[in-house]
Amino acid sequence: MQLEQFFTPSQNEFSFSRSQACTFAKQIADDFNPIHDEDASRFCVPGDLLFAVGLHQLGLSQKMHITFSDMVSDGVNLHYADNPDGHIDIRDTNDKTYLSIWSEGEKCVDKTIISRLTEEYVAFSGKTFPHVLVPMWEKEGVMVNPARPLVIYQSMSLELETLEFQNPTLELTHSQLDVNGKRGNACLKFDFKEGNTVIGHGEKRMVLSGLKPYDQTAIDDLITFYNQRKVELG
């Protein structure tokens, strides 16, 4: 993955065009959420692209926790800012924070290694719908509103035992959805592996809003719509 093609650097800042974000979503992340379409009225840059650029430019640490604060639109000039509590924030020119990165332990700046881990994580993350979310919805008897599916990336964390790896893979180990009225908190836990050896662990958290009672017909229609988009736009 040549990440440089998916963002535009400018002196000490960087930004994303709709074309860059849309191409990343569909060709790299396998994410066909309409909110990432070039002509979307509520367009936003994929959270995984923001995460990938942060890793690419700042390096990969053994322990990291990334918190997403807001959605980034196209053409927003972003920069890195040191936070008094030790975080590094990604902010815009108005000092609005979109993402915070906390890191600890040894650091790797090898672009090849970082790219391989990032690709694996993004591919894993892109399979969240329908492969992971739908079974959780069915189990809890809820689902998002198909007309306006609100699934917000909240945070992700990782802890690696070693940074000496070549071909990492990710494997889902646990998924859970806690429902409180029309709001849900989803947690996905996974292992990083090199071959058959576990080399670390990770966790992804999402917030779901506007939940409604589970409807299998509506779910089937939503999956069909999503798969049709993959065929037409992929």
Side-chain angles (χ1 to χ4, degrees):
M1 174 177 63
Q2 297 297 318
L3 193 62
E4 290 83 356
Q5 66 183 302
F6 299 115
F7 70 99
T8 303
S10 176
Q11 295 183 337
N12 295 323
E13 297 180 330
F14 61 97
S15 63
F16 305 93
S17 69
R18 288 194 172 217
S19 176
Q20 289 171 324
C22 179
T23 301
F24 178 89
K26 293 171 174 56
Q27 295 185 7
I28 304 299
D30 200 30
D31 182 351
F32 288 81
N33 188 329
I35 202 170
H36 304 315
D37 289 352
E38 281 194 60
D39 59 354
S41 59
R42 295 176 58 246
F43 174 86
C44 82
V45 174
D48 284 335
L49 176 53
L50 199 59
F51 161 72
V53 171
L55 230 60
H56 175 79
Q57 295 188 322
L58 300 176
L60 169 68
S61 295
Q62 278 189 285
K63 293 182 180 181
M64 301 189 75
H65 182 77
I66 293 90
T67 303
F68 295 83
S69 305
D70 211 329
M71 295 186 293
V72 177
S73 188
D74 60 303
V76 177
N77 290 324
L78 303 168
H79 65 276
Y80 298 102
D82 291 328
N83 193 301
D85 63 6
H87 290 122
I88 295 178
D89 293 337
I90 293 181
R91 302 177 185 170
D92 64 14
T93 52
N94 295 318
D95 232 21
K96 179 180 180 179
T97 298
Y98 294 88
L99 180 148
S100 296
I101 302 173
W102 172 88
S103 59
E104 183 180 82
E106 295 183 20
K107 177 177 285 190
C108 170
V109 294
D110 186 311
K111 292 291 193 279
T112 300
I113 290 178
I114 293 173
S115 179
R116 287 173 181 168
L117 184 136
T118 304
E119 284 184 47
E120 287 297 317
Y121 174 74
V122 169
F124 165 83
S125 185
K127 295 182 176 68
T128 301
F129 179 84
H131 303 85
V132 180
L133 286 176
V134 171
M136 287 197 297
W137 295 347
E138 183 176 14
K139 179 181 177 182
E140 299 300 328
V142 298
M143 61 180 285
V144 294
N145 183 347
R148 192 180 181 187
L150 294 176
V151 180
I152 301 171
Y153 206 159
Q154 185 180 53
S155 67
M156 75 87 65
S157 59
L158 60 86
E159 184 171 346
L160 298 167
E161 296 174 8
T162 177
L163 296 176
E164 299 293 328
F165 53 80
Q166 297 298 320
N167 297 294
T169 58
L170 268 74
E171 182 179 292
L172 180 68
T173 58
H174 178 74
S175 59
Q176 181 174 330
L177 175 62
D178 296 319
V179 179
N180 183 10
K182 293 186 177 182
R183 183 183 175 93
N185 292 288
C187 176
L188 311 181
K189 295 186 178 182
F190 49 88
D191 284 342
F192 291 100
K193 301 178 74 174
E194 176 85 335
N196 294 322
T197 303
V198 176
I199 60 172
H201 310 281
E203 180 178 283
K204 175 179 179 177
R205 290 185 175 272
M206 296 168 287
V207 175
L208 290 68
S209 300
L211 295 179
K212 56 187 293 185
Y214 188 84
D215 182 332
Q216 188 62 59
T217 299
I219 287 290
D220 292 342
D221 290 344
L222 184 59
I223 294 174
T224 298
F225 168 73
Y226 190 80
N227 288 335
Q228 286 177 340
R229 285 177 52 80
K230 292 181 70 172
V231 172
E232 295 169 359
L233 304 175

